[in-house]
């Protein structure tokens, strides 16, 4: 069956125009004016926006932390993503058993996602130790379409500078992207213990124990390690502070190449004032923590100037009851929050209010993540030959509340948030997934995506 989307305002990073899109066999066959095809399905998008499907390259579906496990699996999490206009995710996977191979958890996640995901998906590999065997595995995984890998500078499976450098050198050779959680572990651990020794265990001390300098220092150190390795593709996840962004901007100005900056919806909208409520503040325990208004303003300015490349979510939900385990000590609350459904509508609404163009917002939500993570031009653009991953968005008001969410989470950090743009129809590879708030897809409709590396960029 062929489908024509008629009379919508089609928006890509290059600009916008009113036109029609012909979809055939899951691909965009043609784009033009007054496309008329016999025996086809017609979607009327008059007075509505037609955008590429959203791409969220930072989710944690079914993440197993041991005591806690993220409550969205690859079915419920991708259903929520679809309702929010996201048609592709690249998931950051959990750590495996001590000493396990890189392949071990990739294989595990194929089992977790296959037959469940309703949107297309891929995975970032994750390092928890470094030796010649795992470095060799990188080569095989890149060949198999896993072209990015995560490293942590904090938590139990953090890597030291020597091992990080070995990974960066290998990534340079392979054209792989290294995504890094950049926080100074030693400083954070000292501050957490210090506040605990004073009996200061309320949620606000989560933010105070992870000050902006802990992010900025780690970003700075990673950049210099990257320079030593010859500037492989280095991607900073969830940048939350002006100081951290300034480190990236400074490095770019002095000529450091292949640095990418991601921020997330929460760091563009919510401040550390949320932690002042001793109970409700536990909802917002995440790392890095929420920051100050000046950080929000700097990140939005970074989006406007394209110093921020990507807006993702770090979607990692837990039940409210589990978050409340931190009532006597914030350190025991599981870290993470839902957000995969809210991203597109909030960012479009808030960004346009700030005078940022729709084309720029499409770039950060769809196109740039596809380019950085080896999905473009198959994903991330409304253009001939690309997958027909398309969302139809209407300009109208909606209040976000837990009653209209689709995650398994029993709260949303954005309760009461008013949006001005609402996703009405979601199409993936030519098939409608969501139609006016009705889910019409099937469990398991999502496909695993083999991604290219960035050797040629």
């Amino acid at each position: 069956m062929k489908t024509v989307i008629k009379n919508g305002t089609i928006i890509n990073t290059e600009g916008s125009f009113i036109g029609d899109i012909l979809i055939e066999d899951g691909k965009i066959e043609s784009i033009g004016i007054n496309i008329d095809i016999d025996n086809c399905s017609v979607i009327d998008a008059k007075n509505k926006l037609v955008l590429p499907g959203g791409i969220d390259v930072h989710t944690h579906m079914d993440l197993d932390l041991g005591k806690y496990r993220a409550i969205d699996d690859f079915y419920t999490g991708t259903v929520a993503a679809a309702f929010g206009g996201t048609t592709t995710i690249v998931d950051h996977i959990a750590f495996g058993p001590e000493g396990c191979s890189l392949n071990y958890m990739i294989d595990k996640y194929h089992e977790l996602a296959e037959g469940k995901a309703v949107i297309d998906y891929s995975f970032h590999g994750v390092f928890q130790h470094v030796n010649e065997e795992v470095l060799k595995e990188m080569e095989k995984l890149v060949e198999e379409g896993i072209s990015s890998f995560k490293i942590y500078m904090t938590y139990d499976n953090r890597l030291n500078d020597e091992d990080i450098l070995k990974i960066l050198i290998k990534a340079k050779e392979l054209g792989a992207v290294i995504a890094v959680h950049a926080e100074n572990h030693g400083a954070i651990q000292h501050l957490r213990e210090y506040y605990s020794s004073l009996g200061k265990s309320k949620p606000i001390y989560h933010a105070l124990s992870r000050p902006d300098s802990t992010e900025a220092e780690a970003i700075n150190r990673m950049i210099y390690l990257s320079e030593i390795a010859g500037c492989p593709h280095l991607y900073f996840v969830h940048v939350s502070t002006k100081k951290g962004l300034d480190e990236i901007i400074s490095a770019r100005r002095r000529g450091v190449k292949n640095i990418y900056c991601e921020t997330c919806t929460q760091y563009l909208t919510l401040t550390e004032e949320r932690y002042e409520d001793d109970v409700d503040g536990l909802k917002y325990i995440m790392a890095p923590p929420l920051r100050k208004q000046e950080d929000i303003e700097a990140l939005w300015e970074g989006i406007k100037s394209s110093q921020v490349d990507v807006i993702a979510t770090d979607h990692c939900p837990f039940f409210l009851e589990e978050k409340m385990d931190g009532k006597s000590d914030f350190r025991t609350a599981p870290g993470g929050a839902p957000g995969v459904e809210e991203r597109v509508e909030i960012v479009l609404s808030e960004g346009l209010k700030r005078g940022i163009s729709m084309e720029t917002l499409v770039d950060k939500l769809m196109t740039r993540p596809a380019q950085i993570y080896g999905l473009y031009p198959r994903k991330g653009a409304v253009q001939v030959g690309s997958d027909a991953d398309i969302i139809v968005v209407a300009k109208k008001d909606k209040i976000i509340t837990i009653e209209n969410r689709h995650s398994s989470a029993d709260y949303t950090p954005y309760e009461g948030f008013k949006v001005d743009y609402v996703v009405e129809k979601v199409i993936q590879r030519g098939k409608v997934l969501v139609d006016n708030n009705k889910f019409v897809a099937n469990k398991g409709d999502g496909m695993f995506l083999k991604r290219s590396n960035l050797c040629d960029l």
Side-chain angles (χ1 to χ4, degrees):
M1 174 69 73
K2 297 179 181 180
T3 300
V4 177
I5 302 175
K6 299 282 292 182
N7 303 315
T9 301
I10 302 167
I11 300 176
N12 280 306
T13 57
E14 300 85 3
S16 63
F17 66 96
I18 296 174
D20 303 343
I21 302 169
L22 173 62
I23 300 169
E24 185 175 2
D25 296 329
K27 299 284 187 180
I28 297 175
E29 181 68 20
S30 64
I31 301 173
I33 308 296
N34 297 323
I35 296 176
D36 289 312
I37 302 292
D38 293 334
N39 300 318
C40 73
S41 173
V42 176
I43 296 171
D44 183 9
K46 186 176 181 179
N47 298 322
K48 296 179 182 178
L49 306 178
V50 178
L51 313 180
I55 299 177
D56 190 347
V57 292
H58 192 161
T59 61
H60 293 281
M61 303 302 178
D62 219 349
L63 183 75
D64 189 353
L65 297 178
K67 182 178 179 182
Y68 304 99
R69 187 165 190 149
I71 57 174
D72 272 332
D73 63 13
F74 277 88
Y75 176 65
T76 62
T78 57
V79 167
F83 272 99
T86 290
T87 55
T88 300
I89 61 170
V90 185
D91 198 74
H92 285 283
I93 68 179
F95 293 122
E98 184 176 354
C100 72
S101 67
L102 281 179
N103 271 308
Y104 180 90
M105 289 306 287
I106 295 292
D107 292 343
K108 178 69 174 176
Y109 268 70
H110 276 298
E111 295 174 7
L112 293 174
E114 189 173 3
K116 288 186 178 180
V118 303
I119 64 174
D120 290 350
Y121 61 93
S122 187
F123 312 120
H124 305 282
V126 64
F127 280 96
Q128 54 195 78
H129 66 278
V130 178
N131 56 33
E132 287 303 315
E133 287 75 18
V134 295
L135 292 175
K136 190 70 175 176
E137 277 187 283
M138 281 182 74
E139 299 178 19
K140 184 172 182 293
L141 284 170
V142 168
E143 290 174 0
E144 294 175 355
I146 302 290
S147 57
S148 55
F149 302 86
K150 178 82 166 283
I151 62 174
Y152 290 81
M153 300 176 77
T154 188
Y155 303 135
D156 289 344
N157 286 291
R158 66 192 179 277
L159 301 180
N160 61 38
D161 290 354
E162 180 181 355
D163 286 342
I164 289 172
L165 185 58
K166 291 176 182 178
I167 292 169
L168 292 173
I169 291 170
K170 191 66 174 180
K172 173 68 174 179
E173 173 190 330
L174 298 175
V177 180
I178 300 301
V180 57
H181 178 136
E183 289 186 289
N184 183 302
H185 179 80
I188 291 168
Q189 288 303 108
H190 171 74
L191 290 172
R192 284 161 67 92
E193 292 299 324
Y194 170 73
Y195 286 123
S196 177
S197 71
L198 298 177
K200 296 181 176 180
S201 59
K202 295 178 179 179
I204 188 60
Y205 292 101
H206 172 65
L208 295 176
S209 64
R210 302 179 103 96
D212 56 1
S213 293
T214 61
E215 178 177 88
E217 185 281 331
I219 289 174
N220 175 279
R221 181 157 36 106
M222 277 300 308
I223 289 170
Y224 279 108
L225 288 171
S226 179
E227 285 189 86
I228 295 169
C231 295
H233 297 284
L234 178 63
Y235 181 101
F236 290 103
V237 301
H238 52 45
V239 174
S240 64
T241 64
K242 180 181 185 300
K243 280 186 179 180
L245 178 58
D246 284 347
E247 292 290 343
I248 293 169
I249 293 172
S250 175
R252 286 169 170 165
R253 285 175 177 166
R254 72 170 188 266
V256 182
K257 297 179 180 180
N258 300 329
I259 302 176
Y260 311 105
C261 175
E262 168 198 289
T263 194
C264 299
T265 318
Q266 58 269 33
Y267 305 119
L268 296 169
T269 54
L270 308 175
T271 70
E272 65 180 23
E273 292 176 359
R274 300 276 175 154
Y275 296 120
E276 293 176 359
D277 186 300
D278 294 348
V279 176
D280 203 54
L282 292 168
K283 294 178 181 178
Y284 307 96
I285 298 293
M286 61 185 75
L290 302 178
R291 303 296 189 177
K292 301 180 185 301
Q293 189 64 37
E294 65 190 62
D295 297 299
I296 289 178
E297 299 305 325
L299 291 168
W300 277 113
E301 186 59 37
I303 290 167
K304 185 181 294 186
S305 64
S306 287
Q307 296 291 353
V308 172
D309 297 284
V310 172
I311 304 171
T313 64
D314 200 4
H315 177 82
C316 189
F318 300 92
F319 286 126
L320 193 54
E321 182 181 5
E322 295 174 316
K323 301 291 278 187
M324 292 302 114
D325 285 354
K327 280 192 290 187
S328 60
D329 186 345
F330 73 87
R331 296 177 299 171
T332 63
V340 73
E341 185 170 357
E342 293 85 350
R343 180 184 67 128
V344 170
E345 293 177 344
I346 286 179
V347 170
L348 293 181
S349 300
E350 291 300 298
L352 290 168
K353 286 178 186 176
R354 291 171 175 270
I356 300 173
S357 72
M358 182 66 76
E359 289 83 1
T360 296
L361 297 173
V362 165
D363 186 56
K364 309 310 174 192
L365 293 167
M366 294 99 174
T367 307
R368 197 72 181 117
Q371 291 171 336
I372 294 169
Y373 281 115
L375 293 166
Y376 187 86
R378 179 178 179 184
K379 307 288 188 181
V382 179
Q383 61 186 22
V384 174
S386 295
D387 282 1
D389 292 3
I390 295 169
I391 62 175
V392 178
V393 177
K395 190 179 190 311
K396 61 182 180 181
D397 295 347
K398 181 174 76 175
I399 303 296
I400 292 174
T401 178
I402 189 59
E403 282 73 26
N404 57 30
R405 300 296 88 191
H406 299 86
S407 163
S408 293
D410 53 0
Y411 77 97
T412 170
Y414 308 99
E415 184 74 35
F417 207 99
K418 177 178 171 292
V419 295
D420 305 319
Y421 290 84
V422 176
V423 175
E424 287 193 340
K425 196 178 295 286
V426 180
I427 301 164
Q428 179 167 254
R429 288 180 276 106
K431 181 176 181 179
V432 176
L433 303 182
V434 177
D435 189 2
N436 289 308
N437 210 37
K438 292 182 180 179
F439 184 67
V440 293
N442 298 308
K443 190 174 185 178
D445 277 350
M447 292 174 52
F448 172 73
L449 300 170
K450 293 183 177 182
R451 296 179 288 119
S452 62
N453 59 15
L454 299 183
C455 288
D456 297 330
L457 291 186

